[in-house]
């Protein structure tokens, strides 16, 4: 499994009341013909699959659409305006970000593939360390949302942007070089899981750049294609 495309789940319900979602979907398909669109759900959610660059183009299109609707609401000058709602982007892209600024802090958000995030955390921890910046991640399945918060000063904002850019650059490079193999447990007993754990602990010194993440029913092995192939072959033997 290589990191060549991702699936993003978009919540289009924020456009309901402004646009017919079916018409908006057709417009999105024309805007991004290289993407694959799933069925539009009743709650307004839709799964979209494709490359990160194509998803980025779609994101920009939707953000511009949302901005134009927001400005339209402001022009109407309604005192009983609805609370501002944000376009929710839950699944996969190197850069699905929303920046907010106030007098005290600057906050930016990146949505990353969880395997890429874990690999970066393990082998490139300096990416998550910066002066005057707090970086945290929340994992939800195969997507991890990374929050970069910095002080509202010019220096703090610069450090935050530098940390974000570095994370983006590492993500792009890791996507090119990494692949993933999943090894499922034949049994779900504690004894079998313990045997697997002992095995990969013995193999770890020989494969220092391989990330092994255990789950209840399987283990995920992430690294270069050569390392992952050799590692999984030894495990299977």
């Amino acid at each position: 499994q290589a990191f060549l495309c991702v699936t993003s789940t978009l919540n289009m319900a924020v456009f309901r009341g402004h646009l017919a979602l079916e018409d908006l979907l057709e417009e999105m398909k024309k805007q991004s013909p290289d993407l694959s669109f799933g069925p539009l759900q009743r709650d307004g959610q839709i799964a979209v699959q494709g490359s990160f660059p194509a998803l980025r183009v779609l994101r920009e299109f939707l953000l511009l659409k949302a901005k134009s609707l927001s400005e339209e609401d402001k022009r109407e000058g309604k005192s009983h305006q609805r609370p501002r709602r944000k376009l929710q982007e839950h699944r996969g892209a190197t850069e699905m970000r929303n920046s907010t600024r106030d007098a005290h802090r600057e906050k930016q958000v990146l949505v990353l593939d969880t395997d890429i995030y874990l690999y970066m955390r393990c082998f490139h921890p300096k990416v998550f360390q910066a002066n005057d910046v707090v970086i945290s991640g929340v994992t939800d399945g195969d997507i991890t949302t990374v929050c970069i918060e910095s002080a509202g000063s010019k220096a703090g904002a610069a450090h935050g942007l530098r940390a974000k850019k570095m994370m983006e650059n590492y993500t792009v490079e890791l996507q090119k070089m990494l692949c993933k193999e999943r090894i499922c447990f034949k049994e779900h007993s504690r004894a079998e899981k313990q045997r697997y754990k002992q095995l990969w602990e013995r193999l770890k010194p020989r494969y220092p750049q391989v990330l092994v993440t255990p789950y209840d029913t399987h283990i995920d092995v992430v690294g270069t294609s050569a390392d992952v192939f050799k590692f999984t072959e030894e495990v299977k033997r």
Side-chain angles (χ1 to χ4, degrees), residues 88-229:
Q88 299 294 319
E89 294 176 293
H90 296 295
R91 307 270 318 266
T94 45
E95 182 203 8
M96 296 279 188
R97 73 180 175 86
N98 170 58
S99 299
T100 59
R101 289 182 175 85
D102 57 31
H104 307 290
R105 65 180 183 178
E106 179 174 300
K107 176 180 176 181
Q108 300 193 51
V109 175
L110 297 177
V111 182
L112 305 177
D113 180 282
T114 293
D115 294 307
I116 295 288
Y117 168 78
L118 294 176
Y119 194 93
M120 206 186 308
R121 269 284 187 190
C122 182
F123 297 109
H124 305 284
K126 289 185 178 180
V127 177
F128 298 89
Q129 301 168 4
N131 294 330
D132 302 319
V133 175
V134 177
I135 302 176
S136 59
V138 178
T139 297
D140 181 13
D142 56 0
I143 287 300
T144 295
T145 302
V146 179
C147 179
I148 304 172
E149 291 189 84
S150 57
S153 64
K154 181 178 290 189
H159 291 155
L161 288 173
R162 191 177 301 116
K164 170 183 169 291
K165 187 63 177 178
M166 184 182 297
M167 196 176 301
E168 290 173 337
N169 291 339
Y170 268 99
T171 298
V172 171
E173 292 305 313
L174 292 175
Q175 286 163 359
K176 295 177 182 177
M177 62 176 283
L178 295 180
C179 67
K180 180 174 77 172
E181 181 78 19
R182 176 163 293 177
I183 303 176
C184 296
F185 298 138
K186 295 179 181 178
E187 307 167 10
H188 293 173
S189 65
R190 178 179 296 181
E192 188 199 23
K193 294 176 185 178
Q194 186 62 29
R195 286 196 301 272
Y196 270 100
K197 182 178 180 180
Q198 292 172 352
L199 176 58
W200 72 61
E201 288 293 342
R202 290 201 302 270
L203 291 174
K204 187 183 295 184
R206 293 166 55 187
Y207 299 94
Q209 296 301 308
V210 168
L211 174 68
V212 178
T213 307
Y215 297 94
D216 289 338
T217 58
H218 63 275
I219 60 173
D220 283 342
V221 184
V222 177
T224 64
S225 57
D227 282 348
V228 168
F229 176 77

Side-chain angles (χ1 to χ4, degrees), residues 13-28:
V14 293
F15 293 102
R16 190 171 277 146
H18 295 278
L19 300 169
L21 297 189
E22 293 78 7
D23 293 342
L24 177 59
L25 177 56
E26 290 303 316
E27 194 175 350
M28 290 163 58

